[in-house]
Amino acid sequence: MTRIHDLPAHRLLAMVRRRELSPTEITEHFLDRIERYDRHYGAYITVTPEKALEQARHARKRVMRDTPENLPPLLGLPLPIKDLDAVAGVRLTHGSTLFRDAVASADSDMVARLRKAGAVLPGKTNTPEFGSACYTENAIAPPTRNPWNTDLSPGGSSGGAAAAVAARLAPAAQGSDGGGSIRIPAGACGLFGLKPTRGRISGAPTKPDLVGLSTAGPLTRDVRDAALLLDVMTLSRPGDYFTAPPLPPGETFVDHVDREPGRLRVGYYATTGSVGIPVHPDVLAAHEEAVRLLEELGHDVEEIPNPVDAHFGGAFMEDFQVVWAAMASAAPVDPSREGEQSLLNRWLRERAAATPVPDYIAACVRLQQGVRSLVAATEPFDAVLSPTLAMPPVPIGHFTGGGPQEEFARMNEFTPFTSVYNVSGQPSASVPLHWSPDGLPIGVMLTGRMGGEGLLLSLSAQLERARPWADRVPPGLDDRPGPPVSKGGRGAPVDP
């Protein structure tokens, strides 16, 4: 018998509209799963059952009162929010002891849009401090664990969001991506994760655009659910530095999921170029399998040079680190409490403070010059294929213990493919086409033209139809032993 948590988001929403399932029934089901099983995974940092049930009861009244065509698109869907975004009246910790007890006074504009669309907000998902790391371990909660093997990390910084979806503790989740933070955990947890085009989703009112590395986006079990969320999350606000090209009037991203992509020209690469980071054999096998599948589907596939080497002159990693450190320095930390941050964030902020403004500007100039070259060179291609990560999921604690500089180096070794597309601003998605001989997910990454999420979704949906993945379930999902995450029960603050 199919259980509620086995169903994708779009199926749940359709059943709500047909009055076959109640929003309260769905919400209670997921809240029960969170209470019973999240101690194994640490996906949530805060759970808000009373608020969620109140929202679900309101959604149930809407279903009974309105006709299906008048119902908002996400009515009754439980959708957790990453704990870097504000939800009114709920803790906003940023994964930091500095903000352990902080409570948001208002929704971010994106969260307000999800709420207006009828989403039920069951809580906040775990994240590393300020989202600075590619794994999900912090000082205020136990580490988030990968549902495919709880000894392993789900990646980050949207690791809590990915673990919640993979463990069926949520049908879908909101994440954010500044250097791969949606695609990394999607690749490690067997999910579809989409980083939209720069400017597609505003960070208003409080998140500055800065150099435009970071954007919100969806983490889902299938492509249709990602398109559905993207249609709702898309928004721009006056004063945004960046805006994405809009869809034609009357068109939606969901429309593209049902549209065959046609014969495409796809470039591919799987090397890390001059940085010399090795790529694991299982990752190469996944990449080669994806190349073959694209060819079988009739696409023109050709190898291209590593874009970092070809367009950034060998300076990309250093320049990106300068900008990443500058972004870390933007976190609102009381100077008297700098020492309470993680070693990584202290190191990044110290590096930013020691970087002269002309050096920062020079790094930004080189990165933009590289982007102009990259975008021009890849314009003839409808999509570019690469690995998502350089290795399969790694153990909890893999990145820490050697000091912050070693930690950052290990992060680069794990994620050499993702950040270039944060710099370029192109839409990019991790697609879960492969599982290793050890049964671990291995994602591949597809990147499109600026504003090209529609074609990227069409191609991803075609791949999903050819090699379905959404029904793959981590072994022992509902009875895995693991350490407790919360001493206080459902909805209680999480103690370290």
Side-chain angles (χ1 to χ4, degrees), residues 97-444:
T97 58
L98 297 168
F99 297 96
R100 180 193 297 272
D101 300 315
V103 175
S105 59
D107 291 338
S108 72
D109 286 359
M110 177 205 61
V111 169
R113 195 170 179 90
L114 291 168
R115 193 191 292 273
K116 185 177 180 181
V120 172
L121 310 179
K124 307 295 289 294
T125 54
N126 205 0
T127 181
E129 186 178 58
F130 306 132
S132 298
C134 68
Y135 60 96
T136 306
E137 301 166 36
N138 58 45
I140 64 170
T144 302
R145 296 175 180 273
N146 193 319
W148 292 89
N149 181 336
T150 52
D151 292 331
L152 304 180
S153 171
S157 63
S158 304
V165 178
R168 283 27 177 195
L169 306 181
Q174 174 267 344
S176 59
D177 191 317
S181 291
I182 287 173
R183 292 159 291 155
I184 292 164
C189 292
L191 303 175
F192 183 76
L194 175 64
K195 180 195 83 67
T197 296
R198 174 181 293 141
R200 181 69 68 195
I201 301 172
S202 175
T206 58
K207 283 188 177 182
D209 293 336
L210 297 176
V211 291
L213 294 183
S214 186
T215 178
L219 279 148
T220 60
R221 281 162 42 201
D222 68 14
V223 177
R224 182 177 297 276
D225 287 352
L228 181 67
L229 291 186
L230 184 59
D231 277 324
V232 172
M233 296 169 74
T234 294
L235 77 155
S236 61
R237 288 289 182 261
D240 288 348
Y241 282 175
F242 308 102
T243 55
L247 289 173
E251 191 170 288
T252 69
F253 288 113
V254 170
D255 292 336
H256 285 269
V257 175
D258 295 320
R259 188 176 301 168
E260 287 295 332
R263 184 172 181 171
L264 304 181
R265 187 181 180 194
V266 181
Y268 71 90
Y269 67 97
T271 68
T272 59
S274 60
V275 297
I277 293 172
V279 181
H280 193 279
D282 290 345
V283 171
L284 292 175
H287 178 79
E288 291 161 5
E289 180 181 319
V291 170
R292 287 193 298 271
L293 178 56
L294 287 166
E295 291 173 336
E296 290 170 8
L297 292 170
H299 301 298
D300 297 320
V301 185
E302 57 189 274
E303 190 169 10
I304 62 173
N306 176 285
V308 170
D309 270 8
H311 305 290
F312 292 88
F316 177 83
M317 284 293 190
E318 181 61 28
D319 289 338
F320 182 79
Q321 287 177 31
V322 169
V323 174
W324 195 251
M327 287 182 63
S329 73
V333 177
D334 183 333
S336 67
R337 302 186 68 185
E338 287 277 350
E340 297 178 41
Q341 298 175 92
S342 69
L343 291 175
L344 175 65
N345 275 304
R346 271 186 270 169
W347 177 74
L348 288 170
R349 290 168 68 90
E350 288 165 2
R351 177 169 180 171
T355 301
V357 171
D359 290 355
Y360 170 76
I361 295 296
C364 290
V365 166
R366 287 189 294 269
L367 288 174
Q368 186 173 27
Q369 289 172 339
V371 166
R372 287 171 171 162
S373 174
L374 168 65
V375 171
T378 57
E379 180 63 26
F381 295 95
D382 298 293
V384 172
L385 172 74
S386 73
T388 303
L389 301 168
M391 58 185 78
V394 296
I396 299 287
H398 168 83
F399 298 97
T400 57
Q405 195 162 354
E406 173 64 20
E407 180 177 342
F408 203 84
R410 291 188 180 191
M411 288 166 58
N412 286 336
E413 291 169 357
F414 188 55
T415 65
F417 296 103
T418 53
S419 58
V420 67
Y421 300 115
N422 295 88
V423 174
S424 73
Q426 294 165 269
S428 187
S430 184
V431 185
L433 288 177
H434 187 83
W435 268 254
S436 75
D438 295 331
L440 298 176
I442 308 286
V444 297

Side-chain angles (χ1 to χ4, degrees), residues 9-29:
H10 66 271
R11 287 277 307 280
L12 291 172
L13 290 166
M15 294 177 78
V16 166
R17 278 175 154 64
R18 294 194 299 264
R19 300 180 182 176
E20 295 171 6
L21 271 178
S22 161
T24 52
E25 185 180 1
I26 295 170
T27 300
E28 288 170 349
H29 181 85

Side-chain angles (χ1 to χ4, degrees), residues 51-98:
K51 292 178 183 292
L53 288 169
E54 180 182 359
Q55 294 161 23
R57 286 190 287 269
H58 176 74
R60 182 178 62 186
K61 291 178 182 177
R62 286 288 306 270
V63 171
M64 301 307 295
R65 184 180 70 229
D66 294 348
T67 58
E69 59 269 17
N70 291 326
L71 296 176
L74 302 183
L75 188 67
L77 182 74
L79 189 74
I81 304 299
K82 183 177 177 179
D83 204 21
L84 297 181
D85 282 276
V87 175
V90 179
R91 286 201 309 163
L92 177 58
T93 73
H94 301 279
S96 175
T97 58
L98 297 168

Side-chain angles (χ1 to χ4, degrees), residues 472-496:
R472 296 192 71 144
V473 179
L477 187 65
D478 294 348
D479 57 3
R480 188 190 306 280
V485 168
S486 173
K487 299 176 183 177
R490 189 171 70 191
V494 178
D495 294 324

